[in-house]
Amino acid sequence: MMVDEEYLNLFDKLDKLPAKVCTKCKKDKLITEYYKRRRVRSDDTIETYHNSKCKTCEKEREQEYKKEKPFSRRCVDVKRQATKKKIPFNLTAEYLESIWTKKCPVLGLELDINSGKTQDNSAQIDRLVPAKGYVKGNVSWLSFRANRLKSNATAKEHMQIAQWMLGQL
């Protein structure tokens, strides 16, 4: 197998990549170890820069935030979904905390608001009437399993499924 000269030149360039020191861990790392960000300046030009903290430190900070302020994080996540779906949103972290229940009202599972993975008992915000959006009085906490089972079916459809299942026994 013949090695391409251009391929070998890539390795030479690796030594020349810029590096910077992370403001958190104080380690000197290649610029590729930092997230790239963009901001719009006052003159409407877009400026690209790299974070001052490396990706590893940013991920650790995010994990700490998730544990310290789970309702704030969830509120931000739900707002992002509402914006993406173009549906109403007026929730606050305080409101989400005020309606928090430790157990899933449907299946009785102990809810986990800080699970890193999606599991059956992971806490989720459910819209009671999906078209109304994420607004106060239209949301509740459910387990991932209950929300998945509920999906977008109507109560009548759920009754029909239950009747069919009971008839199969």
Side-chain angles (χ1 to χ4, degrees):
M1 174 193 269
M2 189 167 174
V3 178
D4 189 336
E5 189 176 323
E6 192 175 350
Y7 179 74
L8 289 174
N9 287 339
L10 288 174
F11 288 100
D12 290 337
K13 289 178 183 176
L14 284 177
D15 294 338
K16 298 172 187 165
L17 280 176
K20 66 189 267 184
V21 177
C22 174
T23 57
K24 175 121 178 161
C25 66
K26 308 296 184 210
K27 292 180 183 173
D28 195 19
K29 296 184 177 186
L30 291 176
I31 203 75
T32 56
E33 292 296 313
Y34 296 84
Y35 289 115
K36 238 183 198 183
R37 302 285 188 217
R38 296 181 342 147
R39 69 175 148 228
V40 179
R41 302 176 94 192
S42 59
D43 61 355
D44 289 336
T45 59
I46 297 173
E47 177 182 26
T48 303
Y49 65 99
H50 288 85
N51 264 11
S52 60
K53 295 182 188 96
C54 66
K55 290 178 181 178
T56 306
C57 291
E58 282 288 336
K59 287 177 185 173
E60 286 173 9
R61 185 194 63 77
E62 179 67 24
Q63 291 300 325
E64 288 171 18
Y65 178 73
K66 284 180 180 181
K67 287 181 182 171
E68 288 173 13
K69 299 187 175 190
F71 299 104
S72 296
R73 177 189 60 97
R74 201 53 71 90
C75 194
V76 168
D77 292 346
V78 171
K79 184 174 184 177
R80 188 177 301 123
Q81 287 176 14
T83 303
K84 193 170 152 182
K85 293 176 181 180
K86 297 179 180 169
I87 56 177
F89 173 88
N90 72 359
L91 303 177
T92 63
E94 293 77 21
Y95 178 76
L96 292 179
E97 190 169 6
S98 74
I99 62 167
W100 171 251
T101 57
K102 293 183 181 186
K103 288 193 181 246
C104 173
V106 178
L107 301 175
L109 298 171
E110 189 79 27
L111 292 177
D112 183 2
I113 196 166
N114 283 322
S115 66
K117 299 180 215 168
T118 303
Q119 299 171 333
D120 282 349
N121 68 331
S122 297
Q124 291 194 329
I125 301 289
D126 177 54
R127 290 173 285 152
L128 304 175
V129 179
K132 287 185 179 179
Y134 291 102
V135 295
K136 294 176 183 177
N138 190 50
V139 295
S140 68
W141 288 98
L142 288 185
S143 65
F144 170 72
R145 179 158 174 77
N147 209 9
R148 186 177 68 232
L149 291 170
K150 182 178 157 291
S151 189
N152 63 355
T154 64
K156 184 178 178 183
E157 290 168 330
H158 280 290
M159 288 297 292
Q160 290 169 331
I161 292 168
Q163 287 170 351
W164 176 83
M165 289 175 76
L166 290 170
Q168 298 300 309
L169 297 176

